Amino acid sequence: MTPFSAPWPHVSIASVIDILLVALVIYEFLALIKGTRASLMLIGVAAVALTFYFARLGELYTLSWVISTLLPYAVFALIVVFAPEIRQALARLGRRITLSRSASSEADAYDDIVLAANLFSQNQTGALMIIEREIGLRTYIESGVPLDAHLSYDLLATIFRPSAPLHDGAVIIQGDRVAAAACFLPLSMNPVLSTQLGTRHRAGIGVTEETDAIAVIVSEETGAISLAVSGKIERDLSVEQLRERMGALLRRYVPPSTLPTPISTAEDASDTEGARTLSPRSADSRFDSGADD
C-alpha cells in the first residue's frame, strides 16, 4: 500500500473549527503586536522558553528548577507588561461583536478639523487634536480643562493661538463637541519610532496605542501634518490626503471645502483703523519656538 492510498486520519468538523480558531487567535495576536514594543518583549519571552527547553533537554536541573519556580510569577508579570495590548485586543473584539457605528457623528464635523490643520500647517503652529471613537477618553479629558463646546474651525484656531492659555497640550474631540483642551497624554515608548519625533508626536502616537482614537498632529518646526492611528503614524500628509484618510477612518465622505487663503497682515494692519483684535483665520500668528513637536 502506497502512502497515497493509505486511509486519511479521521478529521471531524470540530477539529477543523478548532484549528481555524487557534490560527485566528495567533494571527490576531501577531497583528496586534506588530511594530510595537510588545514584539521585542515577545522575543525575550521566546528566548526564556527556549532556555527552559534546552535546560530540560540537557538535564540542567538547577537552571530548570529556577525557571520552573519563576514561571508561575512570570505569567502575572506578562499580564502587567502586556496590559495595553490586552486592553486593545478586548476592545477590538467588542467592536466586532457589537458592530456599532458610533463614528457617524464624528464624521459630520471632521471637516473643521481638516481646515484647522491647514491653517496650523500654513502658520507652522504646533497642534495636537485627538478624535475619540468607540473607546472613551475620560481619563485624559479629566487631565485637561473641560470645555464641552461645539466643534468649529474658529474654536480650534482660537485654542491653539500661542497667546491662548489652553494652547499647550491636546484637544480632545467627542463627536461634534470639543470635550477638553490642554490635556495630558501618555507618551509612546515604542523604540522603533524615529528620533526626529518630539513630545507632541509621541503623545499623539501614545494615546492611539492605548485606545482607538485618531490623532491629528501639526509640527511647529516644519508645519507638516501627521495622522496617528493604532500606534502608527503617517507623516507629511497634504490637506487632501488628511481629508481622505479621516473620511475612510470615520466611514464618511465630506466634499472638499474651500481652504482659507493666508492673508499678509503686514500691509492690511495699517489699513485697518485701530484694529487690534486679529481674526483666528489670519496668518499673522506667532508661536513659541521652544515647544516640542
Side-chain angles (χ1 to χ4, degrees), residues 34-37 39-40 186-209 217 226-235 293:
K34 180 181 179 182
T36 66
R37 63 182 184 273
S39 58
L40 300 178
L187 299 182
S188 173
M189 302 302 294
N190 189 348
V192 183
L193 294 177
S194 171
T195 55
Q196 298 178 353
L197 298 179
T199 305
R200 180 178 291 112
H201 287 80
R202 290 184 177 272
I205 299 172
V207 72
T208 63
E209 291 176 344
I217 313 158
S226 302
L227 182 72
V229 182
S230 302
K232 300 178 182 179
I233 186 170
E234 303 174 26
R235 304 175 64 183
D293 278 334

Side-chain angles (χ1 to χ4, degrees), residues 45-182:
V45 173
V48 173
L50 288 176
T51 303
F52 179 71
Y53 172 76
F54 287 115
R56 295 290 297 271
L57 192 64
E59 297 182 355
L60 304 177
Y61 299 110
T62 304
L63 182 58
S64 178
W65 176 82
V66 171
I67 296 178
S68 60
T69 302
L70 297 178
L71 188 60
Y73 304 98
V75 174
F76 294 100
L78 289 176
I79 295 176
V80 174
V81 170
F82 289 101
E85 284 74 17
I86 295 174
R87 182 165 59 248
Q88 186 176 0
L90 293 177
R92 181 184 299 178
L93 178 62
R95 291 196 301 271
R96 292 183 178 181
I97 293 177
T98 57
L99 297 176
S100 59
R101 293 294 181 268
S102 61
S104 58
S105 60
E106 301 154 0
D108 294 336
Y110 84 81
D111 205 50
D112 285 320
I113 302 173
V114 176
L115 295 176
N118 175 68
L119 172 69
F120 302 147
S121 177
Q122 292 175 350
N123 296 339
Q124 293 188 354
T125 307
L128 178 56
M129 296 170 283
I130 309 300
I131 305 171
E132 180 185 274
R133 292 204 281 180
E134 296 180 20
I135 299 179
L137 302 176
R138 180 178 178 182
T139 301
Y140 310 118
I141 292 174
E142 293 176 348
S143 69
V145 179
L147 296 180
D148 191 26
H150 180 72
L151 173 63
S152 66
Y153 167 90
D154 299 283
L155 177 60
L156 293 175
T158 302
I159 290 175
F160 285 107
R161 287 180 65 89
S163 58
L166 301 180
H167 77 281
D168 286 329
V171 163
I172 297 181
I173 300 169
Q174 294 178 316
D176 60 348
R177 311 287 294 180
V178 176

